[in-house]
Amino acid sequence: MSNEHATRRPNRLIHETSPYLLQHAYNPVDWYAWGSEALELAKRLGKPILLSIGYSACHWCHVMERESFENDQIAAIMNEHFVNIKVDREERPDLDHVYQTAAQLLTGQGGWPLTLFLTPDQRPFYAGTYFPSEDRYGRPGFPRVLQSLIQTYHEDPDRIERAAKQLTDALREVDRREADQRAVVPPEEGSALLTKAAQWLLHHADRENGGFGTAPKFPNASAIEYLLRVAARGLDGATECREVAEEALTRMAQGGIYDHLGGGFHRYSVDEAWQVPHFEKMLYDNALLPPLYLQAFQLSGERRYATVVHETLRYVLREMSHPEGGFYSTQDADSEGEEGKFFVWRPKEIAEVLGTQEGQLLCEHFGVTEQGNFEGGATVLHLARTADELAETYGESVENIEQFIAEAKAKLLAAREQRVKPARDEKVIAGWNALMISAFARAYDVLRTPEYLNRAVEAAAFVEARLVDRERLRRSFKEKASSNAGYLEDYAYWVAALIDLYEASLDRRYLEAARHWMDVTLELFYDERSPGFFLVPKDQDTLIHRPKDWRDQSTPSGTGVAVQSLLRLHATFGEPEYQKKADAVLESHRRQLDQNPWGTASLLGAYDAAANGATEVVIVAQESQHEEAARTAAAVSAYLLPQRLLYVVTPEEAAQSDAPLVWQGKVQREGAVTTYICRGHECSAPVTDRSELKGLCEALVGREGDGFGDSELSRK
């Protein structure tokens, strides 16, 4: 226990496992976790609920805690007049979704910390985000907000009731209004809809700095992935889509949002040029971005994209790995009470590690100056001068400069490891782990680094052992599995991860498991009346609103990912219900696809899969030819084939009458490993020669290939 907490008694949060809740366990606030105890108490006493939602890596959550929740006078007001509930949004995305929507309806904005005031029956009547402890920043001080609401609650209860009813009715109207819009046939469909969406994204691209919009600037992984899909499909605007996607990926990798020493991406950039980040690192960003860099590598063959993948995954292996195989959630922005202190540098600090002359060269490379680009004259490392530019300036070969930079980075990383590290949220979240499993599986599929496949297999075993309870997913694990049920994203990402793991390992049990979990997902989340997927399972404890989950946020929507998996599994198993439900969801969301590409990029990917079909690769091989079949699969994986489905089957399996349609009639030629590539209802001639296979793949992607399989191109 720290000295700060030594004189304080813990509150109820001391019994929780969430690191975020435990951070508040010694507040003088009489906190409850969300649950029946707190909700029943509020009803019994007739007290309003003060609901505070945040997460462990949230900088302003820490600020509000220090200013208000550690303040005895403010805590006394809260304890006397409210039932105070603290929620970790990463453990309860359902509560965050419902009340974040309420806050946006009420104030036009949201964010964290999210601060809401609810009636005893959980209906919101007032909302905000960060409140300072006194009036400043143009915001009312938290005590003034509390006193005003207390007065209104007791002296004008009708006003509170009107506000709660209006806001709750508006909240419940959200899905109904969207359903009404779906009935209107959109002006575009098929490839025209996909092209229109791509043009919308291109129009909103920042062609000067890369990415989309202005500061603060987020990676927007789903939007970039959609542009890469359009580029690989060769649809209208494909060239520009590829340019914009690669611009975004390049500028992020050059900027301060990327950790140039330790690898991995910070949450977002506070400026338009990606230079200064908000320093927290989220597992999901470092799971979603590597597959995009893999796709850029497949399209371009440029090694710099593969390098980002390797460095990011090594960061995850080094910093975010649970000893039993899972992955931790977040790394904080702060250390020693200062945001970014762990990551920033000054010229003097670099000279102390490298020496004056070599330090100057590295400062030029990473833009480190006496003035700095961050608080207090510190610098966030970013690519300021390339190795080519430095080689010309210093009269050295590019190879020598690159070697120097690599060695200098290793020395700086070792020195940085001696600093006080940011705190780490060590809970293991099911859905985020599934995203990370997909990232490692896809990285192995393209780059053929064995450690990546091993790590994906270990993490999948962790999920099965620690996060599965009687055929249901739990949301998270920390020392023990959380009591919180898994949400749609947990199930949808898990199904997709199992399919990706099958395609990387060629172990059929993962494909069968994906089918099983898809059926569970449909049973728990699918809405037959208005086709789509709910965020929470059908037997979840009652909320004031059961929302749908179709919008992309920081992560892709569970609905978009689920529909893509339905289509992948339908092609494999021929299950008509999968196709029927996928089509129904896409049809019911067609107006959103037409009018809101920004929020529906993952669903647009599913629409593309339905409209343009899969590329199915069938490799026929005897069980004794498994290694050769794996090398053939690697050859295909050098190319970006959207909605690729890959199968390795024996001649006997292909000859069975009940085999998937795409397998049927596929035979080996002269006993050799034989490959067929099919699109729609047409398949290529059987191919056994690697050079023929290379030519076939090049024809599919419309370019001259740079290599395939276990060639030097696919290795670091």
Side-chain angles (χ1 to χ4, degrees), residues 123-158:
R123 294 176 299 149
F125 60 86
Y126 189 82
T129 52
Y130 162 75
F131 291 102
S133 57
E134 57 188 26
D135 295 359
R136 64 174 182 271
Y137 312 135
R139 295 172 181 262
F142 198 44
R144 184 153 69 91
V145 171
L146 295 176
Q147 296 289 3
S148 175
L149 290 173
I150 292 165
Q151 182 177 358
T152 304
Y153 187 82
H154 291 290
E155 296 181 3
D156 194 356
D158 290 342

Side-chain angles (χ1 to χ4, degrees), residues 211-225:
F212 302 92
T214 59
K217 187 171 281 187
F218 291 82
N220 296 309
S222 295
I224 296 173
E225 183 170 43

Side-chain angles (χ1 to χ4, degrees), residues 101-102 105-106 163-177 545:
T101 303
L105 288 170
L106 186 65
K165 184 178 187 306
Q166 290 172 359
L167 189 54
T168 304
D169 288 347
L171 189 63
R172 292 170 175 167
E173 282 288 296
V174 169
D175 283 339
R176 191 192 66 78
R177 290 197 305 270
H545 172 56

Side-chain angles (χ1 to χ4, degrees), residues 5 78 108 177 224 291 315 360 394 403-404 454 522 637 659 677:
H5 294 156
M78 295 171 65
R177 290 197 305 270
I224 296 173
Y315 156 73
Q360 174 60 33
Y394 286 91
Q403 182 177 352
F404 162 76
N454 294 338
L522 292 171
S637 296
I677 299 183

